[in-house]
Amino acid sequence: MESLDDRSSAPDAERPTEKPPEGGKVSRIAAHTQGLFTDLREWIDLRVDLAILEMEERLDAFKNDVALGLTIAVFAALAAFFSLTTVALGVGWLLGHPFWGFLAVSVALILIIVALRVAKPALMPPSNLLESLRREQDVSGDESPARPASAVVDENAS
């Protein structure tokens, strides 16, 4: 990041050596309070910088996962295409003409599509997130007391 300045990890790297403040207790307390606010501001700046870096790392990891998934999908599609072409040519060679092989593979794919459309199988299991959260809440015993759905206004409290 261009906006972040290089900060050394040494505790006194940014502060020039300061001599103790002259004067009474009030000026010393004011100087220490000012130093405390400076330290707090630097700490908050570092926490913000850390949060930004963590988000950038997550975003980079997500972009890498998407790029990898797309690359795998493209190669899988090419592999499936060439496999089906090979099967079609093999069946066509057995039947005497490549046309019959491609027709047989096309009909087989259409039958698979129709069977899946009619059967409508659950290919992905349901997540049941709500049930698992309720189960965890019941196990931990941290149930909040039940409240009625309607709010009641006490007119005598005024």
Side-chain angles (χ1 to χ4, degrees), residues 136-147:
E136 288 176 9
Q137 186 180 19
D138 291 343
V139 170
S140 66
D142 293 338
E143 287 190 39
S144 59
R147 297 187 323 197

Side-chain angles (χ1 to χ4, degrees), residues 83-106:
S83 297
L84 289 174
T85 304
T86 303
V87 168
L89 288 172
V91 170
W93 178 70
L94 288 175
L95 296 176
H97 199 276
F99 167 78
W100 293 113
F102 282 98
L103 181 64
V105 169
S106 298

Side-chain angles (χ1 to χ4, degrees), residues 20-127:
E22 301 286 330
K25 289 183 179 181
V26 174
S27 63
R28 286 192 309 231
I29 291 173
H32 287 296
T33 305
Q34 186 177 10
L36 178 65
F37 282 127
T38 304
D39 290 344
L40 183 62
R41 190 175 322 134
E42 289 175 6
W43 181 78
I44 290 172
D45 288 342
L46 289 173
R47 291 293 294 178
V48 168
D49 293 345
L50 179 64
I52 290 170
L53 288 174
E54 286 176 352
M55 285 304 290
E56 284 181 350
E57 287 177 0
R58 288 183 190 167
L59 184 63
D60 289 342
F62 176 73
K63 289 190 304 187
N64 188 35
D65 289 345
V66 168
L68 181 62
L70 287 175
T71 303
I72 289 172
V74 166
F75 281 109
L78 287 173
F81 174 74
F82 283 114
S83 297
L84 289 174
T85 304
T86 303
V87 168
L89 288 172
V91 170
W93 178 70
L94 288 175
L95 296 176
H97 199 276
F99 167 78
W100 293 113
F102 282 98
L103 181 64
V105 169
S106 298
V107 168
L109 290 174
I110 290 171
L111 288 176
I112 290 173
I113 291 171
V114 168
L116 287 174
R117 180 80 174 161
V118 169
K120 295 182 183 178
L123 299 177
M124 297 295 292
S127 64

